[in-house]
């Protein structure tokens, strides 16, 4: 386990419910397209890696797939088991999954590769557990980020907040990759996946400022943990700047329209 992986375990520990009430709706946007490109339908043996609160698993069950779902965080697994009671849901951590070679027809990972310390090894493990010619499909956040994705980071920076030392600054240089279409397909090829193709998804996520702030306020993700680690005065400054910058995205009813961009890719195992 890398320092980045250890940091991720700390960041997400106990945050299942807070994530489900804040960012989960945003991350659900690509799910129908993700399942389409993985050709998930009736009877397909699907592995949903990093299931979170079970959004993908529940959608795949509704299509008649035979779903196994895993997540590294126990509070996420609890939520997923309730969201997709037909699925086999358990705790498991990349890059070592407790499944046989070629056990699944398709493997999907919705915004998971952002959270592993060795992405190439993680992809190689997804390739291992999918059958020959089965699909591996995934999403990650694109870089540079769309304006809606930078709102919290801008507020943190403007307030002069300092990242806490227990949070990893990023991947080791030898493990990182460009977060664009060619970078992601290149990484998939390096992991042994074949015929990788990638597209960029762009959409506007609509949420109230209160909903959007609820994630950071509850310590969700690295941004939230950064907010919570500050002194009360700095936290207040972050919130003040967050409210100020939110006005750029607000309509007359105060609802935010937040542009986002993600990469969606698939390849054969």
């Amino acid at each position: 386990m890398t320092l980045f992986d250890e940091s991720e375990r700390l960041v997400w520990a106990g945050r299942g419910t807070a994530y489900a009430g804040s960012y989960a709706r945003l991350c659900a946007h690509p799910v129908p397209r993700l399942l389409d490109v993985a050709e998930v339908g009736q009877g397909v043996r699907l592995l949903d890696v990093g299931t979170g609160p079970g959004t993908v698993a529940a959608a795949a069950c509704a299509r008649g797939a035979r779903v196994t779902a895993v997540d590294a965080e126990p509070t996420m697994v609890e939520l997923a088991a309730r969201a997709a009671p037909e699925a086999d849901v358990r705790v498991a951590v990349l890059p070592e999954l407790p499944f046989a070679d070629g056990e699944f027809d398709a493997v999907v990972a919705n915004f998971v590769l952002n959270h592993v310390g060795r992405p190439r090894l993680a992809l190689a493990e997804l390739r291992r557990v999918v059958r020959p010619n089965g699909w591996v499909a995934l999403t990650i956040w694109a870089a540079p980020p769309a304006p809606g994705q930078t709102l919290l980071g801008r507020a943190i920076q403007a307030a002069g907040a300092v990242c806490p030392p227990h949070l990893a600054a990023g991947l080791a240089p030898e493990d990182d990759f460009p977060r664009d279409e060619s970078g992601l397909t290149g990484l998939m090829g390096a992991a042994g996946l074949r015929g990788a193709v990638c597209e960029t998804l762009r959409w506007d996520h609509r949420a109230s400022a209160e909903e959007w702030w609820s994630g950071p306020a509850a310590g969700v993700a690295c941004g939230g943990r950064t907010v919570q680690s500050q002194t009360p005065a700095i936290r207040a400054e972050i919130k003040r700047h967050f409210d100020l910058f939110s006005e750029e995205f607000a309509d007359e009813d105060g609802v935010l329209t937040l542009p986002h961009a993600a990469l969606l890719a698939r390849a054969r195992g």
Side-chain angles (χ1 to χ4, degrees), residues 238-255:
I238 295 172
K239 181 59 164 63
R240 185 176 72 82
H241 282 95
F242 177 88
D243 291 340
L244 178 64
F245 297 150
S246 292
E247 294 176 3
E248 301 171 16
F249 303 97
D251 63 18
E252 61 274 9
D253 297 318
V255 177

Side-chain angles (χ1 to χ4, degrees), residues 40 44-48 56-62 64-69 84 86-89 104:
V40 175
V44 169
R45 297 173 302 163
L46 176 71
L47 175 62
D48 173 25
V56 176
C61 286
R66 296 158 53 193
V67 179
T68 300
E86 307 96 328
D88 174 9
V89 186
F104 301 96

Side-chain angles (χ1 to χ4, degrees), residues 1-258:
M1 182 177 289
T2 68
L3 290 175
F4 183 87
D5 291 315
E6 292 176 2
S7 175
E8 285 291 306
R9 297 290 77 76
L10 289 172
V11 162
W12 290 100
R15 291 304 189 269
T17 299
Y19 169 80
S22 54
Y23 296 135
R25 191 166 60 83
L26 165 71
C27 295
H29 178 86
V31 170
R33 178 70 177 146
L34 179 69
L35 294 177
D36 286 346
V37 301
E39 299 184 4
V40 175
Q42 187 70 37
V44 169
R45 297 173 302 163
L46 176 71
L47 175 62
D48 173 25
V49 178
T51 189
T55 305
V56 176
C61 286
R63 295 185 177 206
R66 296 158 53 193
V67 179
T68 300
V70 300
D71 202 279
E73 168 50 38
T75 59
M76 297 288 192
V77 170
E78 293 173 8
L79 293 173
R82 293 200 291 268
E86 307 96 328
D88 174 9
V89 186
R90 62 181 87 171
V91 174
V93 183
L94 283 169
E96 296 180 1
L97 298 176
F99 305 112
D101 294 358
E103 188 168 338
F104 301 96
D105 300 314
V107 178
V108 295
N110 192 41
F111 298 115
V112 174
L113 212 61
N114 308 84
H115 301 292
V116 298
R118 294 197 170 104
R120 184 183 61 78
L121 288 181
L123 285 173
E125 181 71 347
L126 302 189
R127 179 184 61 81
R128 182 187 69 79
V129 300
V130 77
R131 64 169 172 79
N133 291 320
W135 289 113
V136 172
L138 58 98
T139 56
I140 67 167
W141 295 114
Q149 293 164 261
T150 64
L151 172 56
L152 176 62
R154 288 170 59 200
I156 290 172
Q157 184 176 26
V162 177
C163 184
H166 64 276
L167 296 184
L171 300 184
E174 63 271 19
D175 292 318
D176 211 351
F177 64 99
R179 309 306 170 100
D180 55 26
E181 293 179 14
S182 62
L184 182 53
T185 55
L187 183 72
M188 296 176 84
L193 293 162
R194 298 178 294 106
V197 294
C198 183
E199 62 183 290
T200 301
L201 305 178
R202 300 184 186 278
W203 73 99
D204 290 335
H205 179 69
R206 287 178 56 78
S208 68
E210 292 76 15
E211 177 187 343
W212 203 237
W213 177 250
S214 69
V220 176
C222 287
R225 286 301 175 101
T226 298
V227 170
Q228 285 198 333
S229 71
Q230 308 303 309
T231 65
I234 295 296
R235 285 200 301 271
E237 274 297 285
I238 295 172
K239 181 59 164 63
R240 185 176 72 82
H241 282 95
F242 177 88
D243 291 340
L244 178 64
F245 297 150
S246 292
E247 294 176 3
E248 301 171 16
F249 303 97
D251 63 18
E252 61 274 9
D253 297 318
V255 177
L256 309 184
T257 298
L258 300 160

